[in-house]
Amino acid sequence: MSLKYTMEVMELLDDPNANGEMVVDLFTEFSHVEASYQTVSGDSGSTDFIKILVKGAEGKSTGGNAPSLGIVGRLGGLGARPSRIGFVSDGDGAAAAITTALKLSLMAEKGDRLPGDVYITTHICPDAPTIPHEPVVFMGSPVDIFTMNQYEVLPEMEAVLSIDTTKGNKVFNHRGIALSPTVKQGYVLKFSDDLIRIMEMTTGDLPVTFAVTTQDITPYGNDVYHINSILQPAVTTDAPVVGLAITARTAVPGCGTGASHEVDVAQAVRFSIEVAKEFTRGEIEFHDQVEFQHLVNLYGSMKKLQTLGSTAK
């Protein structure tokens, strides 16, 4: 069922005129959903930031106490026009996030409301720039990463699932989805057993994970290598963040067209929906809170890794 809506969303986004209004219009008829967009300009053009709130039956947005989940669709752009024609690989994160929002909205309309709120954010840009990167060219964005975090990482999010195409590397040799360890306040924590279980259930396969380096959890702009922006939400929030990578067996450029696989995006959607169900019921955690506090007591704060740091003199 997720595949059907994934295909519809990807067809909608594969448009040189794709914009925030087109996405928000998908949600206008739903009773328990608020959707909005805001156009923001940068040095290389503009993009439309999307914010969708699927209200839980006991969500904090309506006075309840159920936990609130954040789902961020990370990307530079949906397209690299005019240098490339069509939907690029980098757009998969946005497609997965919007499809997740659409499916949760349909569920709520039918009566299957989650207990807690789910906030889904991403941005829509069909003509983003490209940037050099090894081993393949990446997609850039009209706005910088700090602007993205400002609009996509919200204070209401008590845990963040960051979905991003992560194909432009030689680290992965698996096509589908992969899970990062939890990152919180500069600490790389152990993999969440709960999320591993949900991955096994939704894929019907052994779990696939990926390593995270110290460089990956620091902000862009500090002149160190990042595998991509999948964990950039972690530099701007105290909430635990987990990356959900959409992967390939070969190194695929972010600006590559004809490189998106609907089945893989739908797999990310199924996983995200099941995480939302269990997290907003308070049945799972992204990290062990007691162990995290023990680490802080032992070694102190690692929040410096959430900053651009200091330059040695």
Side-chain angles (χ1 to χ4, degrees):
M1 290 178 285
S2 296
L3 179 59
K4 170 187 174 182
Y5 298 110
T6 298
M7 294 171 67
E8 290 179 1
V9 168
M10 292 182 75
E11 183 66 26
L12 177 75
L13 298 180
D14 186 11
D15 184 334
N17 299 306
N19 57 50
E21 184 177 7
M22 291 167 60
V23 174
V24 168
D25 284 347
L26 291 173
F27 300 91
T28 55
E29 301 299 321
F30 294 118
S31 305
H32 307 291
V33 180
E34 292 180 3
S36 62
Y37 75 94
Q38 185 170 348
T39 303
V40 178
S41 297
D43 293 337
S44 304
S46 66
T47 189
D48 289 348
F49 283 99
I50 306 294
K51 174 184 173 183
I52 303 161
L53 166 59
V54 183
K55 298 178 182 178
E58 303 164 26
K60 291 187 169 81
S61 65
T62 53
N65 294 308
S68 302
L69 177 67
I71 298 175
V72 178
R74 267 283 137 114
L75 72 159
L78 301 173
R81 298 173 180 89
S83 63
R84 303 285 195 280
I85 295 175
F87 186 88
V88 297
S89 171
D90 198 50
D92 289 356
I98 293 167
T99 305
T100 300
L102 182 58
K103 182 61 178 174
L104 289 173
S105 301
L106 288 161
M107 289 165 51
E109 196 70 14
K110 294 175 181 178
D112 276 341
R113 295 183 67 187
L114 274 56
D117 300 326
V118 182
Y119 291 85
I120 302 99
T121 58
T122 190
H123 71 99
I124 304 298
C125 178
D127 50 9
T130 60
I131 56 174
H133 190 271
E134 292 295 335
V136 291
V137 176
F138 265 11
M139 287 293 297
S141 175
V143 297
D144 61 35
I145 197 70
F146 298 100
T147 303
M148 286 189 194
N149 281 341
Q150 176 186 350
Y151 286 93
E152 293 179 350
V153 185
L154 309 177
E156 295 88 350
M157 297 174 172
E158 297 174 56
V160 178
L161 190 63
S162 175
I163 311 174
D164 199 346
T165 314
T166 312
K167 300 177 182 178
N169 59 76
K170 294 185 180 296
V171 173
F172 293 99
N173 58 5
H174 162 82
R175 181 186 144 187
I177 59 175
L179 204 64
S180 83
T182 301
V183 178
K184 180 176 170 66
Q185 297 176 32
Y187 275 95
V188 178
L189 305 174
K190 76 180 191 70
F191 291 95
S192 165
D193 292 335
D194 291 326
L195 298 184
I196 293 293
R197 171 181 56 78
I198 292 173
M199 175 174 276
E200 291 176 327
M201 178 178 69
T202 56
T203 64
D205 207 343
L206 295 173
V208 178
T209 61
F210 66 98
V212 168
T213 68
T214 302
Q215 291 98 314
D216 295 325
I217 67 169
T218 61
Y220 273 16
N222 61 356
D223 298 323
V224 301
Y225 180 88
H226 297 76
I227 191 168
N228 69 352
S229 67
I230 190 167
L231 289 168
Q232 288 300 291
V235 308
T236 195
T237 179
D238 286 343
V241 177
V242 170
L244 178 62
I246 300 174
T247 62
R249 300 189 71 173
T250 59
V252 177
C255 60
T257 56
S260 295
H261 302 276
E262 294 85 353
V263 172
D264 299 344
V265 177
Q267 197 172 72
V269 172
R270 282 198 310 276
F271 174 82
S272 301
I273 289 170
E274 296 307 314
V275 170
K277 289 178 184 177
E278 296 200 29
F279 184 82
T280 61
R281 284 201 299 262
E283 294 180 348
I284 65 171
E285 293 284 355
F286 279 37
H287 75 298
D288 183 327
Q289 297 185 42
V290 173
E291 185 173 65
F292 173 75
Q293 189 56 54
H294 182 54
L295 281 169
V296 174
N297 291 341
L298 287 172
Y299 301 107
S301 172
M302 294 292 179
K303 286 190 174 185
K304 186 174 184 178
L305 291 170
Q306 295 177 286
T307 74
L308 289 171
S310 57
T311 303
K313 296 182 180 180

